Amino acid sequence: MSRGVLAVAESVDGHLAASGREAAAAARSLSEGGTVTGLVLGTALAGPAGELSRAGVDRVLTMEAPALEGRRALPWAAGIAAAAAATSASVVVLPGTAFGRELAGAVGSLWDAPATAGVTEIVGSDAEGIEVARPAFGGRATQRLKLTGPRIVLALRANSVPPAPPAAVPAPIEPIPAPELAAGILAGEPVGFAAAASTGGPELTQAAIVVSGGRGLKAPENFALLEELARSLGAAVGASRAVTDAGWKPSSYQVGQTGKSVAPQLYVAVGISGAIQHLVGMMSSRVIVAINSDPNAPIFRVADFGIVGDLFQIVPALTAEIRRVRGLAEPGRSPGA
Ligand SMILES: Cc1cc2nc3c(=O)[nH]c(=O)nc-3n(C[C@H](O)[C@H](O)[C@H](O)COP(=O)(O)OP(=O)(O)OC[C@H]3O[C@@H](n4cnc5c(N)ncnc54)[C@H](O)[C@@H]3O)c2cc1C
C-alpha cells in the first residue's frame, strides 16, 4: 500500500545529522512506492538540506524560521504537522535521538496520531497500519506493536536502520512557510539540550564505534589511553557510572540505565565489570568486545570477543596495532617519520 511519508532530519554544526539519513531510509521502506519528503527545520538550512537531498528522498522541504532555532519540541511539532498536512503524508518518521523521542509524543498529540519511539525494526505494514519492534524492559525483551489509523508517528532508535547510499542526482529542495505559532507554544524554553561536554569524537549515541572505560582504569588521567584507542578507531568515548560518579568524566559520557543508550556497530568495554545497569545501555550493540582482568566479569557474558588481561598492557598494544593496520602515524610523529 503506497503512502506519503515525511522524514524529519536534525542538523549538527551546519551538516545533516546521521540520524536524518536513517530516518530517510526508514521512510523509503515505509512508502511502498509513495512519495518520501525530507524536512529540515530551523535556520541556515542550505547545508543540511543539500545533504538530505542526496539521502534517498524524493524532495526536501526547508522550514526556516527563528522560532524553530534550537530544539524546542512544540514549535517543531507544529512545523512538522503543517508539513505533513501540506504533503498529504500519512506517516512521520523522526530521527533516533533524544529530541526525536521527545518529538514523537508532541507530534502524535498535535496530529492526533498513535506514536512510538525507539523503533529498531519495521516488521510489516498493511492497509491497517505499521508493525514495529522496539526494545522493552531495558533491552531485555523486544516489544512488537502495531500502530493503526490514517496517521502514524514513529521515532527510530539510533543506528538501527542502514542509511541509503548517497544518490547521484539530488532531489529538489523547496521552502515551505512555518505555521503561525501561538504564544504558548513559543513560550517554552529548549529543555535538556545544553551543550554536553564533547567527547572529542563523534556523538556518543550516533557513533558507529564506541570505546567505553570503567573503574578498571583506576584514575582519570588513564582515560588518555582510551582516548588514544578511540582516536585510532574514529570512535566516541563513553564511560560507566562508576567513572562519572567519581567525576573522572562528565555525566554526558555515561552509558547505561541512567545514562545514554547506544547501539553502535562495535562497542569496546574496557575495565567495565558489566553490571546490568550498564548492560541495558549497550546490549543492542552489534559486536561487543570486552577487556577485563577478571575472567568471571559479567561483561564477558554479553561479549562477542573477550580479552582477559591487564588493560594497561592490552590497550596500548591494541592502539599501536590498529594504527599500524590503518596506516596512521603515531601520536607526535609525522607520517613516514
Ligand atoms: C539505580 C542505578 C542506576 C545505575 N545506572 C548505571 C548506568 O547508567 N551506567 C552504569 O555504568 N552503571 C550504572 N549503575 C552502577 C552499576 O551498578 C555499577 O556500579 C557500575 O556500572 C560499575 O562500573 P564499573 O564497571 O566501571 O566498575 P566496577 O564494577 O568496579 O568494575 C571495574 C572492572 O574493571 C576490571 N579491572 C580492574 N583493573 C583492571 C585492569 N588493570 N585491566 C582490566 N580490567 C580491570 C575489574 O575486573 C572490574 O570488572 C547504576 C546503579 C544503580 C543502583
Side-chain angles (χ1 to χ4, degrees), residues 148-194:
T148 57
R151 300 160 163 187
I152 290 169
V153 178
L154 53 93
L156 302 174
R157 187 175 168 109
N159 297 322
S160 298
V161 179
V169 181
I173 302 173
E174 302 154 42
I176 179 173
E180 289 284 321
L181 296 171
I185 286 182
L186 288 170
E189 289 294 318
V191 177
F193 288 95

Side-chain angles (χ1 to χ4, degrees), residues 242-256:
V243 163
T244 55
D245 278 357
W248 296 359
K249 285 287 167 196
S251 58
S252 55
Y253 281 63
Q254 187 183 315
V255 172

Side-chain angles (χ1 to χ4, degrees), residues 261-311:
S261 288
V262 299
Q265 301 295 317
L266 172 64
Y267 187 85
V268 186
V270 180
I272 292 179
S273 58
I276 186 66
Q277 296 90 351
H278 186 82
L279 299 185
V280 297
M282 44 64 77
M283 257 178 348
S284 316
S285 305
R286 195 141 295 167
V287 175
I288 298 171
V289 174
I291 303 171
N292 198 301
S293 51
D294 175 4
N296 297 315
I299 191 77
F300 288 128
R301 289 191 215 134
V302 299
D304 299 285
F305 300 95
I307 307 174
V308 178
D310 181 3
L311 71 90

Side-chain angles (χ1 to χ4, degrees), residues 49-228:
E51 289 167 20
L52 185 57
S53 73
R54 292 184 180 271
V57 297
D58 296 312
R59 63 173 167 161
V60 174
L61 298 180
T62 57
M63 189 177 281
E64 199 142 359
L68 299 168
E69 218 170 13
R71 292 178 169 89
R72 292 193 295 173
L74 289 181
W76 273 56
I80 291 165
T87 57
S88 307
S90 59
V91 178
V92 170
V93 180
L94 298 162
T97 60
F99 185 53
R101 177 178 285 273
E102 189 184 358
L103 277 176
V107 176
S109 99
L110 257 186
W111 208 33
D112 196 19
T116 192
V119 170
T120 49
E121 191 190 344
I122 312 289
V123 179
S125 122
D126 57 26
E128 258 182 20
I130 299 170
E131 188 176 351
V132 298
R134 61 194 291 275
F137 303 113
R140 273 169 279 182
T142 300
Q143 177 186 39
R144 281 189 177 194
L145 62 154
K146 188 158 185 182
L147 305 166
T148 57
R151 300 160 163 187
I152 290 169
V153 178
L154 53 93
L156 302 174
R157 187 175 168 109
N159 297 322
S160 298
V161 179
V169 181
I173 302 173
E174 302 154 42
I176 179 173
E180 289 284 321
L181 296 171
I185 286 182
L186 288 170
E189 289 294 318
V191 177
F193 288 95
S198 170
T199 62
E203 206 277 312
L204 191 53
T205 58
Q206 300 290 318
I209 306 178
V210 173
V211 175
S212 275
R215 193 161 20 212
L217 277 153
K218 310 250 188 298
E221 58 273 18
N222 294 333
F223 253 84
L225 283 178
L226 214 68
E227 280 152 8
E228 250 340 291

